[in-house]
Amino acid sequence: MYSLLCPTLIYNSLHDIEYNHLKSLGIRGIIFDLDNTIIPWDSQEMSPEIITWLNTLLAEGFKICFLSNNMGKRVKGIATIFNAPFVSRAYKPAKAGFRQAIATMELSPNQVAVIGDQLFTDILGGNRLGLVTIWVKPLSSKEFIGTKITRRLEKLAVGLLKAKGLLK
């Protein structure tokens, strides 16, 4: 049970993730969480550095899909910048949204990674399907009230996982 909350990889930010390392793991597609992973929560502005990073990822031959519990209009606006598919109102960590994202990229689960900032949505959901899961620090401390509550539970879970030697 605890292993479902353990990310495969942990990074401070997207910029620390090496494309070649992902390729060596057999990753050909990446599912991205939206809020506080690639864009600050409740913001319409994505940093130029993240836009460049995502464009380089695409130029390296990776497929991408955005997966969010957010409303369609917001997710579509970001996905359109990259001409990428998206799944909104995904109800993460439910499997259906992740499956839909994998299907839109026309890849198998063993070729897909998920990158997100939350253990209980992004990492749990990805691990339930056997995806490579990558946990990054949130871009901003400004968050939806429900997320602020789950962050407290997340801190408790991290402490427990570290005590059990499952997380470093």
Side-chain angles (χ1 to χ4, degrees), residues 34-104:
L34 189 66
D35 288 312
N36 269 341
T37 298
I38 65 159
I39 189 168
W41 180 78
D42 203 27
S43 172
Q44 296 300 321
E45 299 297 320
M46 193 178 332
S47 79
E49 295 83 12
I50 289 184
I51 291 171
T52 299
W53 190 88
L54 287 167
N55 280 326
T56 303
L57 187 75
L58 290 166
E60 288 285 328
F62 289 93
K63 294 181 177 184
I64 66 172
C65 182
F66 296 101
L67 179 69
S68 178
N69 288 343
N70 217 309
M71 305 296 245
K73 183 178 180 181
R74 176 170 163 71
V75 184
K76 182 180 181 180
I78 300 300
T80 301
I81 295 170
F82 302 99
N83 195 30
F86 68 93
V87 178
S88 59
R89 292 189 171 215
Y91 301 104
K92 295 181 290 179
K95 292 179 182 179
F98 289 91
R99 285 185 178 133
Q100 186 179 346
I102 293 165
T104 63

Side-chain angles (χ1 to χ4, degrees), residues 4-141:
L4 288 176
L5 292 175
C6 292
T8 310
L9 301 166
I10 302 172
Y11 292 99
N12 285 326
S13 77
L14 293 177
H15 307 294
D16 296 330
I17 302 170
E18 296 179 11
Y19 310 119
N20 288 333
H21 182 69
L22 295 177
K23 287 180 181 179
S24 75
L25 296 173
I27 301 303
R28 295 185 49 221
I30 302 174
I31 297 170
F32 284 96
D33 170 54
L34 189 66
D35 288 312
N36 269 341
T37 298
I38 65 159
I39 189 168
W41 180 78
D42 203 27
S43 172
Q44 296 300 321
E45 299 297 320
M46 193 178 332
S47 79
E49 295 83 12
I50 289 184
I51 291 171
T52 299
W53 190 88
L54 287 167
N55 280 326
T56 303
L57 187 75
L58 290 166
E60 288 285 328
F62 289 93
K63 294 181 177 184
I64 66 172
C65 182
F66 296 101
L67 179 69
S68 178
N69 288 343
N70 217 309
M71 305 296 245
K73 183 178 180 181
R74 176 170 163 71
V75 184
K76 182 180 181 180
I78 300 300
T80 301
I81 295 170
F82 302 99
N83 195 30
F86 68 93
V87 178
S88 59
R89 292 189 171 215
Y91 301 104
K92 295 181 290 179
K95 292 179 182 179
F98 289 91
R99 285 185 178 133
Q100 186 179 346
I102 293 165
T104 63
M105 291 188 288
E106 298 178 336
L107 297 170
S108 61
N110 66 340
Q111 297 174 301
V112 177
V114 59
I115 300 176
D117 68 302
Q118 292 187 60
L119 285 182
F120 291 116
T121 56
D122 310 308
I123 304 308
L124 176 59
N127 282 339
R128 291 178 69 213
L129 288 172
L131 307 179
V132 168
T133 52
I134 302 172
W135 190 32
V136 294
K137 289 185 178 176
L139 291 175
S140 170
S141 60

